[in-house]
Amino acid sequence: MLALCWEGETVTLRADGRADALWRHTPDHPAIIVWRGEAEVLMNRGNFRLSDLPEPTVELRSARPCGVEMVELAPEAGAEAVIRLRVDGHRLVIDALDPSLNRCTIRLPATADEQLWGCGEQLSYLALRGRRFPLWTSEPGVGRDPRREITRVMDAVAMAGGDYYTTNYPQPTFLSSDGYAVHVDCDAYQCVDFRDDDAHRLEAWAIPAALEFYVGEPIALVEQLSARFGRQPMLPAWAAGGAIIGLKAGDAGFARLDVMRAAGVAVSGLWCEDWCGIRETSFGRRLFWDWQWNPARYTDLPARIAALRAEGIGFLGYVNPYLAVDGPLYAEAKAAGFLARRLDRDEPYDVDFGEFLAGVVDLTDPAAAQWFAERIVGREMLDFGLVGWMADFGEYLPTDLRLHSGEDPMEAHNRWPVLWAAVNARAVASRGRTGDALFFMRAGWTGIGAHCPLLWAGDQLVDFSRHDGIGTAITAALSAGLLGNAWHHADCGGYTSVQGVVRTAELLHRWFDLTAFTPVMRTHEGNRPDENLQVDSTASLLAHFALMTRLHAALAPYVLAAGAEAVSHGLPIMRPLFLHHADDPTCWTMQNQYLYGRDLLVAPVVTEGVEARAVYLPHDEWLDLYDGAPVAAGWHQAAAPRGRPRRPPRQAIRPKSLHRQPRRRRPRTA
């Protein structure tokens, strides 16, 4: 429970059993600053550049009580109040008394040695301190590092370069090593700034409805946050029992699948994005955005699906909430009035997706959302025999269209992925397939886990680059998992191949090793499949891939057992080390190794050209995964030959001591 406390002219927000204030206001350091702004937005195919035209800011220096657990804030003593604050359980409710104001900055107290995590699915940094993070769902970008030539080129061509903070799934929620978490109840654009030693700054392009505070150790915070935002159901057992093979070669893909199976690949699903047809563009091989079976691409798909099902292999497809203007479903949606409209006239708003146009199904219209759930996902996909699909492009909503709900698209944009996830979940539930049919998304916002059963890390470059390569798949899983998203995975091999960046055999070998230790092991041919190595391109690649798929399948009972904690407590399967070792500051910033459930520690190689890596084992009892021999806690230099997970040496080379011995039920394995 929260309480507002007065100490002279200082107002603090405190929680039961916690000595430090969660929020503090003084006349010299006002906690809230307000102003009015006007957004300027540039958009290009899911990439956004946002700027603000602000009026002068107003510091709310004067605070006065106005009732039980209520405070009014004004620019100065005697002036008319602008903001009213009141406590409601764990929420500090913010009532805006001046409707003309639409911007605010809120200051929260910070400590110098505090570390922070969260803010949705972050790709570059798990530990957030020392940086600012704009929160706006978008394409994450190509390269995501303005110092790289590929990023500068993509920025110049299509605003598509990105930066360390761009992400498909942001969320205004963060956890602190000081034992608390904060969620900002607001869907508008926000920016959190963790660069100062004495204050965290939360900026929003709206007056938030409330700040929500949670108190406890990291595990307790994850449990509280996952209960607040919604927990994913158990992963279907079939999805953990082997690899989901991604092929977009039409009928030719079935013969390739047979070769892989003959080579010993453990297969749980065949994922064919191109079940709806393809469209060749300058970017690469894309799909025909009309979400129904394309017989020209797959001549006898119903029979193929039935045959695969008889062998325990599911068939998966692809869908997104846009309809190509040259497809029959667009005409159907247009006739029913289910497409978002232009601002200047009563016609559908058609988006240029690069060499083709598509309409926006208006998910704020309950009739349109129901039509998509039943007509497309229900009839054309689930009833047709699909057991899963990629539910793509939740982050693309333009901000200059007219929605059925009448709301400002600037307010709806971040929430759009959650509406999209709810459409898919509704269709699955309507067929009684929750916990069996599996769709996966990259876009998200507050509450995505309540609807989406599986996240994926978006479109990594097919390389080892620091901000857009293989390593970002780990950071994405660890950050998103703190907010209730227990199940996460990535495209094995990466996706984006541009400007001469293509897959190497080394990259694929390293990605095989990584994805064997993720809940779902799914391959992707990428945007330029003919120019890139595939899992079956060489005998050595295929043999290694087959080995790791069998290891992945062998771990399924362990993964599903760990999934019981996800359902009951919201704990992710891939966990940052600090989740179980919060008293070890070495674990706070570690993002290239993780706990897989409680009892396995995984340290993948995500650096090019190395055959060994440093591995840190927190203070605990560790056993060798292969022979059960004890392994010392601390730092190890472990051999890491491609294609073979290896144990660290028995003795640490630089052991660390911790403040206390954690409780443990049984030895862990590394």
Side-chain angles (χ1 to χ4, degrees):
M1 299 296 292
L2 301 178
L4 284 167
C5 305
W6 289 84
E7 303 166 8
E9 293 185 299
T10 299
V11 187
T12 57
L13 182 74
R14 299 186 178 276
D16 292 344
R18 179 181 171 83
D20 295 333
L22 295 167
W23 175 87
R24 178 182 293 109
H25 168 88
T26 68
D28 292 335
H29 295 91
I32 299 181
I33 299 171
V34 294
W35 70 96
R36 177 163 183 79
E38 181 179 349
E40 289 192 335
V41 182
L42 293 177
M43 303 174 292
N44 186 23
R45 303 170 197 165
N47 302 287
F48 294 82
R49 290 180 182 167
L50 307 182
S51 57
D52 197 18
L53 298 175
E55 296 180 2
T57 60
V58 179
E59 296 184 327
L60 303 183
R61 295 183 176 276
S62 174
R64 54 189 180 238
C66 59
V68 178
E69 298 293 343
M70 296 178 66
V71 171
E72 286 184 347
L73 300 179
E76 57 188 23
E80 186 174 351
V82 173
I83 294 289
R84 179 184 297 123
L85 304 175
R86 52 190 173 89
V87 169
D88 181 8
H90 66 278
R91 289 166 58 88
L92 180 64
V93 180
I94 305 172
D95 297 322
L97 305 179
D98 183 348
S100 69
L101 298 172
N102 62 358
R103 303 283 191 269
C104 76
T105 294
I106 302 173
R107 297 174 73 253
L108 298 177
T111 57
D113 59 352
E114 180 183 10
Q115 191 51 264
L116 305 162
W117 313 280
C119 286
E121 183 186 71
Q122 292 298 325
L123 301 167
S124 290
Y125 298 104
L126 176 64
L128 308 179
R129 196 66 188 274
R131 297 177 177 86
R132 62 188 294 274
F133 293 86
L135 302 176
W136 180 260
T137 178
S138 69
E139 283 277 9
V142 178
R144 301 185 68 254
D145 183 352
R147 296 168 298 182
R148 294 189 67 197
E149 178 65 18
I150 190 171
T151 302
R152 293 193 293 269
V153 169
M154 295 306 295
D155 267 337
V157 170
M159 292 169 42
D163 212 324
Y164 71 86
Y165 52 80
T166 46
T167 173
N168 302 113
Y169 168 26
Q171 183 171 321
T173 311
F174 62 88
L175 299 79
S176 168
S177 60
D178 282 354
Y180 70 92
V182 179
H183 171 65
V184 184
D185 188 359
C186 178
D187 292 331
Y189 166 84
Q190 295 172 61
C191 182
V192 292
D193 191 337
F194 301 129
R195 292 177 295 182
D196 289 352
D197 285 343
D198 61 347
H200 308 314
R201 288 175 171 79
L202 319 177
E203 179 186 332
W205 287 9
I207 307 300
L211 298 183
E212 300 177 9
F213 293 90
Y214 304 86
V215 176
E217 292 296 309
I219 284 184
L221 293 174
V222 170
E223 184 167 4
Q224 294 175 73
L225 293 173
S226 63
R228 161 66 174 86
F229 303 130
R231 293 172 182 161
Q232 296 169 313
M234 177 65 79
L235 184 75
W238 65 263
I244 297 174
I245 306 299
L247 299 174
K248 46 185 177 184
D251 283 333
F254 296 106
R256 287 179 62 191
L257 180 67
D258 290 340
V259 172
M260 292 185 202
R261 296 177 67 193
V265 175
V267 178
S268 63
L270 174 62
W271 174 48
C272 297
E273 294 178 282
D274 61 334
W275 76 288
C276 53
I278 63 168
R279 188 192 302 268
E280 294 287 354
T281 71
S282 60
F283 180 72
R285 187 169 301 160
R286 303 186 67 183
L287 307 178
F288 187 73
W289 290 12
D290 188 78
W291 314 120
Q292 46 194 337
W293 168 37
N294 186 306
R297 190 77 176 159
Y298 290 91
T299 54
D300 195 12
L301 190 54
R304 293 281 196 179
I305 291 175
L308 289 171
R309 185 187 303 118
E311 299 183 46
I313 298 174
F315 185 84
L316 296 87
Y318 175 100
V319 69
N320 69 48
Y322 298 90
L323 299 173
V325 299
D326 49 348
L329 286 174
Y330 175 91
E332 188 175 328
K334 180 179 179 180
F338 291 155
L339 301 175
R341 319 300 285 181
R342 294 172 59 99
L343 290 175
D344 56 351
R345 56 185 182 275
D346 192 29
E347 293 180 3
Y349 183 108
D350 296 332
V351 183
D352 181 358
F353 280 97
E355 300 171 41
F356 68 95
L357 299 175
V360 184
V361 179
D362 191 342
L363 303 181
T364 70
D365 180 353
Q370 177 59 30
W371 173 81
F372 201 108
E374 173 59 29
R375 172 69 177 85
I376 298 178
V377 182
R379 286 165 48 189
E380 301 293 344
M381 299 174 69
L382 285 164
D383 295 349
F384 187 73
L386 272 64
V387 73
W389 56 90
M390 175 184 281
D392 205 0
F393 284 122
E395 61 287 282
Y396 267 53
L397 181 71
T399 59
D400 60 346
L401 46 62
R402 180 157 41 98
L403 295 171
H404 173 85
S405 64
E407 63 189 297
D408 185 347
M410 286 292 296
E411 299 280 345
H413 175 85
N414 277 335
R415 190 165 45 86
W416 197 257
V418 183
L419 298 179
W420 173 226
V423 166
N424 288 269
R426 182 184 305 126
V428 171
S430 73
R431 293 334 194 242
R433 302 285 298 279
T434 302
D436 172 34
L438 183 68
F439 66 92
F440 45 99
M441 295 178 56
R442 65 179 186 176
W445 183 250
T446 304
I448 190 68
H451 306 290
C452 176
L454 175 66
L455 292 179
W456 110 89
D459 298 343
Q460 278 75 39
L461 269 176
V462 291
D463 68 4
F464 291 91
S465 58
R466 168 65 182 82
H467 293 280
D468 199 19
I470 180 175
T472 61
I474 303 173
T475 313
L478 301 185
S479 56
L482 296 172
L483 305 181
N485 303 283
W487 305 102
H488 196 286
H489 75 303
D491 296 336
C492 182
Y495 171 79
T496 306
S497 175
V498 294
Q499 301 294 316
V501 178
V502 295
R503 289 172 176 166
T504 64
E506 180 186 2
L507 177 76
L508 280 176
H509 281 299
R510 293 308 189 188
W511 220 307
F512 298 161
D513 290 340
L514 167 59
T515 54
F517 293 93
T518 61
V520 171
M521 188 175 190
R522 177 182 56 80
T523 68
H524 199 312
E525 291 191 306
N527 66 308
R528 297 181 183 272
D530 298 337
E531 300 173 20
N532 282 266
L533 289 171
Q534 304 298 333
V535 300
D536 56 344
S537 291
T538 68
S540 61
L541 283 171
L542 184 55
H544 178 200
F545 179 64
L547 173 65
M548 301 315 292
T549 64
R550 295 194 296 272
L551 174 57
H552 180 267
L555 286 170
Y558 172 79
V559 170
L560 295 175
E565 290 186 302
V567 174
S568 61
H569 298 288
L571 296 184
I573 309 306
M574 299 171 68
R575 305 175 185 177
L577 270 62
F578 70 77
L579 203 57
H580 293 288
H581 302 279
D583 54 355
D584 183 354
T586 302
C587 297
W588 291 359
T589 59
M590 194 162 291
Q591 63 184 51
N592 65 355
Q593 61 181 71
Y594 57 93
L595 293 172
Y596 197 41
R598 177 66 179 94
D599 297 313
L600 282 174
L601 186 144
V602 183
V605 173
V606 293
T607 303
E608 187 173 15
V610 302
E611 295 295 331
R613 63 153 292 170
V615 179
Y616 181 71
L617 302 183
H619 193 78
D620 211 328
E621 293 180 3
W622 296 98
L623 301 178
D624 187 293
L625 179 65
Y626 296 101
D627 60 19
V631 183
W635 283 101
H636 300 263
Q637 188 70 12
R642 296 180 224 169
R644 172 69 174 165
R646 295 293 297 273
R647 64 168 177 82
R650 301 298 188 210
Q651 296 298 318
I653 60 174
R654 189 152 53 91
K656 302 281 187 179
S657 61
L658 304 182
H659 300 301
R660 62 179 174 83
Q661 179 86 357
R663 293 193 302 271
R664 50 189 182 273
R665 294 172 295 175
R666 58 186 182 276
R668 316 300 174 196
T669 53

